[in-house]
Amino acid sequence: MRPIARTLSAAVIGFAVGAGAVSGGLIAYDHLNPSNAIISKSKVQTPYATVASYTPPTLPLGPDTISNVVKRDGPAVVKIVATVPQSVSISSSPFFNPFFGSIFGNNIPMTPQTEVQTDIGSGFFINSRGYLLTNDHVIHGATKIQVYVPGYSKPFNATRVGTDYATDLAVLKISAPKPLPYLVLGNSNQTPVGAWAIAIGNPYDLSHTVTVGVISAKGRPLTIGNRHYRNLLQTSAAINPGNSGGPLLNLAGQVVGINTAVSTQGQGIGFAIPTSTVEEILPQLMKYGHVIRPWLGVFIGTDSKSLAQQYGLPTSTGVVIAYVEPNSPAQNAGLYAGEVITAVNGQSVTSASQLKSIIDKTHVGQHITITVNDQGRIVTRNVTIGQEPNGPITEPSTVPSF
């Protein structure tokens, strides 16, 4: 794992938390602002969202620039309240005292029960028909999702349109009596490091909180639990539990990132999913409800050249399989831990990143050949590529999965 991921993996909050802690964040886009006419004429209309097709001009710089963006975008910011059942164990002993323990010592009879947890997050509308974006972790496992929209006294019940565990994105849908304000997705690839960034969300349930900073870095990898983020924006705009799922805006009021995580070991270190990632998967979320990804089902332990002699490789190439996931294409093909993958379809494999790139270019159902070195014995196995599960995968360690 890269140093940044290793340092922050245990110290990052990127999930929705219940009553005492919250996650999520979101922002809005108001079409009543006169400057919006320029953006509306220049955007590309799609069935699922509004995406800027040009490099947007910034608003006139001045003391009111940020407040004007907030005023224009604020009506599209929503609060998301998710009801999530949690399994807990409650003592069934009448002699148990939660402060002093039990007269039976540690042998306390426990009864499993279900406890309801309320998680608070954020999101923002991506079109006028009630479709909105948020983080998957904000609504993951929820049995009921409510959306609080500015201007309405009662919340709307939301339905899931699509979710993607891997990128931590989700699309929800509400039915409102009239068209809703929405945000334009800007171009994160063209957003330079050092550019101003504005976050709007509900940190700790403090609705429509605005924080400002800059884009501190791009392309940050990060691991939080079983989620492996490979390409995040880093920002100095304050992000707290409750901001997750909300947009990170540029000075044109366009979304360049989806606020997702914050480091608990330092100030001014927040992370957002870039809109370049959103635009890649949003069509599939809208069409299929999930993202279709090719899947092999192996965890790679190392691709160190020092293993060449240990594994009897003819050259110092190949990647070592650390773990094979149960019921995966790899297991069905007979691959197992300890083997060294040296080639896929005759193409030499020299690194874990190269293996990932090769697998990513395949499609579900495709037949491939994988050449392995099994303790000096060269074997070729036929593998049928599967579809990656849309959920957490229990990993033996923090090694990359393909």
Side-chain angles (χ1 to χ4, degrees):
M1 186 187 302
R2 301 182 187 180
I4 181 68
R6 187 165 50 244
T7 302
L8 296 174
S9 60
V12 177
I13 300 174
F15 49 88
V17 285
V22 286
S23 86
L26 106 169
I27 193 162
Y29 192 78
D30 185 355
H31 290 274
L32 299 179
N33 188 281
S35 63
N36 179 56
I38 300 176
I39 297 177
S40 296
K41 293 178 181 178
S42 304
K43 66 197 177 186
V44 175
Q45 293 286 355
T46 71
Y48 52 89
T50 303
V51 182
S53 61
Y54 73 113
T55 302
T58 59
L59 296 175
L61 295 178
D64 297 328
T65 299
I66 293 173
S67 62
N68 286 337
V69 170
V70 173
K71 180 179 179 180
R72 188 181 69 184
D73 290 2
V77 178
V78 298
K79 180 172 76 172
I80 299 173
V81 177
T83 302
V84 183
Q86 298 286 338
S87 297
V88 296
S89 296
I90 305 297
S91 171
S92 59
S93 170
F95 304 102
F96 176 70
N97 185 306
F99 296 100
F100 300 104
S102 168
I103 61 175
F104 297 112
N106 294 326
N107 297 319
I108 304 170
M110 305 297 287
T111 301
Q113 295 186 13
T114 299
E115 184 179 84
V116 175
Q117 175 178 305
T118 300
D119 295 345
I120 300 176
S122 303
F124 60 93
F125 292 112
I126 55 176
N127 63 31
S128 62
R129 303 191 304 277
Y131 289 87
L132 62 98
L133 266 173
T134 186
N135 280 134
D136 175 64
H137 70 250
V138 171
I139 52 92
H140 190 77
T143 55
K144 184 178 182 179
I145 305 170
Q146 292 184 304
V147 176
Y148 290 78
V149 181
Y152 291 90
S153 59
K154 295 182 179 180
F156 294 87
N157 290 323
T159 57
R160 290 179 177 85
V161 176
T163 62
D164 184 45
Y165 185 89
T167 57
D168 197 11
L169 290 171
V171 177
L172 305 178
K173 173 72 166 63
I174 68 168
S175 296
K178 60 182 180 181
L180 294 161
Y182 57 92
L183 290 176
V184 171
L185 300 183
N187 192 326
S188 61
N189 290 332
Q190 294 182 9
T191 302
V193 173
W196 286 102
I198 307 167
I200 304 178
N202 305 293
Y204 298 103
D205 202 15
L206 299 173
S207 299
H208 282 72
T209 295
V210 179
T211 56
V212 179
V214 298
I215 301 297
S216 305
K218 300 172 70 174
R220 293 297 199 198
L222 195 65
T223 294
I224 306 173
N226 288 327
R227 295 187 201 262
H228 300 289
Y229 303 91
R230 295 185 173 92
N231 175 33
L232 295 178
L233 300 176
Q234 181 182 329
T235 179
S236 62
I239 296 175
N240 289 285
N243 280 112
S244 290
L248 192 65
L249 304 171
N250 58 24
L251 291 185
Q254 296 180 326
V255 182
V256 294
I258 314 299
N259 299 319
T260 299
V262 60
S263 171
T264 60
Q265 293 185 335
Q267 296 181 349
I269 304 178
F271 299 91
I273 301 167
T275 51
S276 58
T277 298
V278 176
E279 292 177 8
E280 286 179 2
I281 73 165
L282 191 52
Q284 291 197 60
L285 292 182
M286 297 295 292
K287 184 175 182 179
Y288 305 114
H290 58 271
V291 177
I292 299 175
R293 293 189 183 89
W295 182 52
L296 178 59
V298 298
F299 291 92
I300 298 303
T302 180
D303 50 18
S304 173
K305 294 182 179 181
S306 64
L307 293 175
Q309 183 175 0
Q310 176 183 349
Y311 285 91
L313 293 173
T315 62
S316 58
T317 61
V319 292
V320 181
I321 299 175
Y323 179 75
V324 176
E325 298 173 59
N327 303 315
S328 66
Q331 184 185 62
N332 294 337
L335 295 171
Y336 60 87
E339 291 184 322
V340 180
I341 297 177
T342 59
V344 176
N345 285 340
Q347 179 181 350
S348 297
V349 173
T350 59
S351 66
S353 60
Q354 183 191 16
L355 175 61
K356 172 175 171 52
S357 177
I358 293 173
I359 298 300
D360 285 346
K361 293 176 182 178
T362 63
H363 60 263
V364 176
Q366 180 177 340
H367 301 289
I368 64 172
T369 60
I370 293 183
T371 304
V372 299
N373 186 306
D374 182 9
Q375 298 182 350
R377 185 170 62 98
I378 305 302
V379 180
T380 298
R381 294 195 171 93
N382 297 316
V383 180
T384 301
I385 295 296
Q387 180 174 316
E388 181 179 278
N390 186 20
I393 299 174
T394 302
E395 304 180 23
S397 62
T398 54
V399 293
S401 172
F402 306 103

